[in-house]
Amino acid sequence: MRWTECISDAISYIEDNITEELTIADIAAHVHISPFYFQKGFAMLCDFTVGDYIRCRRLALAGSELAATDAKIIDIALKYGYDSPDSFTKAFARFHGSTPTAVRKDGASIKSFAPLSIKFILEGGYSMDFRIMEKDAFTVIGLQRTFKYEEATRVVPELWAQFHQMPEAKGICPMYGINADEAMAGDEFEYLIADNYNAAMDIPDGFVTRQIPKFTWAVFPCKGAMPQTMQDVNRKIYSEWLPNSRDYEIAAGYCIEMYDDPVKFSKGTEDENYYSEIWIPVKKK
């Protein structure tokens, strides 16, 4: 199934079940791909996480229903997945800028959020550099945390900021950002800011070692200022390269960002020539 068809089918499934319990696993199973791949691909193609999209659709529908009907606020809250008036009011106010009571009593305005519509656009025709690399298992040392996919855009940069402020990190070069989701089935992943490990190294408090399995990796170079360059390449990998590759498919729930030493570049990671890579484990179809 092409990505446009896959995401369109997923959106239809979400809309048909918007007032029911929706899990990433259920939606991914409906479109016959792994939750890991589905979440990454959806976010890259739609610029929303799956959870953000569902939340916005539910709050938009709740707002319309609140304004157009006499249904009780608590009933609308329960219908769209909120267990208490308090949690519903907070989420509603963040989205609409007004409380449910203000909409009902004072006619405060509400926001719309239309369903995504996926249209076919002729793309491609560009050159995307990559190489295939066989790499034995290797061990890294780093700072590791477990995050939910829905939080990734906020918490991963926060972890990097924390890393750079830690005295314990002084002897560790942050050359890898490692996304690990070995089960490829949940809503959480492990993220490591890591360096190559050797047995002579001391392991600082709060740091761990982890073995990265042997894989065949598709390696995509990223040349340009961070983070935009890497984000652009990442988007093309999941929205164009993987869905259209005749030879390879994703092999495991890993994604590695490899960063060159910023001191080599006059403007550091913001330099127009700054170099980084994205590694995706692949296997032959």
Side-chain angles (χ1 to χ4, degrees), residues 135-139 211-215 217:
K135 187 172 178 63
D136 290 334
F138 65 104
T139 302
Q211 186 178 71
I212 308 301
K214 177 181 179 178
F215 285 123
W217 300 88

Side-chain angles (χ1 to χ4, degrees), residues 202-242:
D202 293 328
I203 303 175
D205 290 342
F207 285 69
V208 300
T209 60
R210 184 187 184 109
Q211 186 178 71
I212 308 301
K214 177 181 179 178
F215 285 123
T216 299
W217 300 88
V219 178
F220 298 85
C222 310
K223 185 178 180 181
M226 296 290 293
Q228 188 62 47
T229 298
M230 182 171 279
Q231 290 171 351
D232 289 345
V233 173
N234 208 17
R235 186 175 294 107
K236 287 182 179 179
I237 291 170
Y238 285 95
S239 66
E240 289 291 328
W241 189 83
L242 273 170

Side-chain angles (χ1 to χ4, degrees), residues 41-255:
F42 188 98
M44 295 298 170
L45 189 63
C46 301
D47 287 330
F48 295 100
T49 65
V50 183
D52 282 343
Y53 177 73
I54 293 171
R55 187 161 43 252
C56 289
R57 283 293 298 142
R58 284 175 171 168
L59 287 168
L61 290 169
S64 295
E65 194 164 329
L66 192 69
T69 74
D70 295 325
K72 293 180 180 178
I73 292 176
I74 183 58
D75 291 339
I76 294 174
L78 292 171
K79 179 178 180 179
Y80 291 102
Y82 292 89
D83 295 332
S84 71
D86 225 25
S87 62
F88 177 63
T89 296
K90 289 178 181 177
F92 190 96
R94 281 196 300 268
F95 181 80
H96 289 286
S98 302
T99 66
T101 302
V103 172
R104 177 62 58 81
K105 290 185 175 180
D106 304 326
S109 62
I110 56 175
K111 293 182 179 178
S112 64
F113 186 89
L116 285 170
S117 177
I118 304 298
K119 298 179 180 179
F120 175 76
I121 299 174
L122 186 62
E123 292 183 339
Y126 56 80
S127 173
M128 189 170 189
D129 293 336
F130 73 97
R131 70 180 189 277
I132 298 298
M133 173 180 72
E134 304 287 342
K135 187 172 178 63
D136 290 334
F138 65 104
T139 302
V140 297
I141 179 172
L143 184 66
Q144 177 176 301
R145 296 289 187 271
T146 299
F147 298 130
K148 291 188 177 298
Y149 280 103
E150 299 301 322
E151 306 171 328
T153 55
R154 174 178 60 83
V155 293
V156 170
E158 289 176 354
L159 185 65
W160 277 92
Q162 178 186 347
F163 175 89
H164 287 299
Q165 293 173 2
M166 296 176 69
E168 300 89 341
K170 186 176 181 181
I172 296 175
C173 174
M175 67 179 298
Y176 300 119
I178 301 174
N179 179 325
D181 179 3
E182 293 181 345
M184 297 178 70
D187 62 353
E188 294 183 337
F189 67 99
E190 294 173 322
Y191 190 85
L192 293 89
I193 300 173
D195 190 4
N196 289 316
Y197 174 72
N198 66 67
M201 296 176 69
D202 293 328
I203 303 175
D205 290 342
F207 285 69
V208 300
T209 60
R210 184 187 184 109
Q211 186 178 71
I212 308 301
K214 177 181 179 178
F215 285 123
T216 299
W217 300 88
V219 178
F220 298 85
C222 310
K223 185 178 180 181
M226 296 290 293
Q228 188 62 47
T229 298
M230 182 171 279
Q231 290 171 351
D232 289 345
V233 173
N234 208 17
R235 186 175 294 107
K236 287 182 179 179
I237 291 170
Y238 285 95
S239 66
E240 289 291 328
W241 189 83
L242 273 170
N244 293 295
S245 175
R246 294 183 178 181
D247 300 316
Y248 296 101
E249 62 185 359
I250 200 162
Y254 281 88
C255 176

Side-chain angles (χ1 to χ4, degrees), residues 25-43:
D26 289 341
I27 302 169
H30 180 75
V31 294
H32 309 295
I33 55 177
S34 76
F36 173 85
Y37 190 14
F38 172 66
Q39 289 182 100
K40 282 184 169 290
F42 188 98

